Amino acid sequence: SDGDGVRDREIDGKATPFEFSVVYAQGSTNAEKVCNLFRENLDQIGIICHPRPLEWTVLQEMTRTHKFHAYMGGWGTGTDPYTLENIFQTGADRNFGEYSNRKVDDLFKQGMKEFDQAKRAEIYRQIYMELYKDQPYTWLFHRASFMGFNKGLRGYVFSARGPYHYSPGFESIWMAK
């Protein structure tokens, strides 16, 4: 509004620039690259973004206590949608954005109790449609993971969730002599 190239809005009679910080884990090169790309792209449309790397324990405390403007992080899940847990549940500890939608809460409960795969798929489709509509997070990408193993390794039972989320997993690996 004042021609300086930065978007602003009048709040309590004062021009307030559209400016915020995005926090991420220090040392995460992917998060650093994404946050710098945010900054560069938002700058082109007059929004000021300050990427802010934080030590892991500080970042965890800030997200747990909801003391951040924006947070760059990631979630992992398995082959079953419920392995995500309901991180969007009203009042849940890991619901960092304090999202609340009773329909999503109820659908997660239904999905957990339903054994028919087709019915479960429909329940989780409804959850994802609600999340898409409400946008409690902005999902940017899905990172595919590829694992390579030496042909001499034996005993490993590979899971669709990857090597870190399956038992016996790494504990059962042995090398043929």
Side-chain angles (χ1 to χ4, degrees), residues 12 28 37 40 47 70 88 91 119 133 142-143 149-150 152 158-159 168-169 175 177:
D12 296 328
S28 172
L37 185 61
E40 292 167 14
I47 298 171
F88 305 104
K119 290 178 183 175
K133 180 181 74 180
H142 177 81
R143 184 177 63 194
F149 294 93
N150 183 303
F158 198 76
S159 162
M175 176 72 80
K177 288 194 176 196

Side-chain angles (χ1 to χ4, degrees), residues 55-93:
E55 193 274 327
W56 180 248
T57 55
V58 174
L59 180 65
Q60 290 299 295
E61 180 64 14
M62 287 180 76
T63 56
R64 190 185 64 73
T65 58
H66 315 287
K67 305 246 188 289
F68 60 94
H69 296 145
Y71 164 60
M72 172 64 190
W75 291 110
T77 187
T79 56
D80 184 279
Y82 193 73
T83 58
L84 177 68
E85 298 177 27
N86 185 358
I87 60 172
F88 305 104
Q89 180 180 354
T90 303
D93 286 341

Side-chain angles (χ1 to χ4, degrees), residues 3-105:
D4 68 355
V6 176
R7 292 181 185 268
D8 57 47
R9 180 180 196 151
E10 188 173 314
I11 300 175
D12 296 328
K14 181 181 173 201
T16 305
F18 192 157
E19 181 174 13
F20 69 99
S21 295
V22 57
V23 295
Y24 65 92
Q26 183 176 355
S28 172
T29 55
N30 284 340
E32 181 179 5
K33 288 176 185 176
V34 170
C35 290
N36 283 325
L37 185 61
F38 281 161
R39 180 183 44 76
E40 292 167 14
N41 289 177
L42 291 171
D43 185 59
Q44 293 174 12
I45 59 171
I47 298 171
I48 301 168
C49 174
H50 301 285
R52 194 170 156 214
L54 297 173
E55 193 274 327
W56 180 248
T57 55
V58 174
L59 180 65
Q60 290 299 295
E61 180 64 14
M62 287 180 76
T63 56
R64 190 185 64 73
T65 58
H66 315 287
K67 305 246 188 289
F68 60 94
H69 296 145
Y71 164 60
M72 172 64 190
W75 291 110
T77 187
T79 56
D80 184 279
Y82 193 73
T83 58
L84 177 68
E85 298 177 27
N86 185 358
I87 60 172
F88 305 104
Q89 180 180 354
T90 303
D93 286 341
R94 294 180 357 161
N95 184 350
F96 301 138
E98 300 181 293
Y99 175 70
S100 180
N101 181 323
R102 289 289 173 204
K103 183 175 180 182
V104 170
D105 295 344

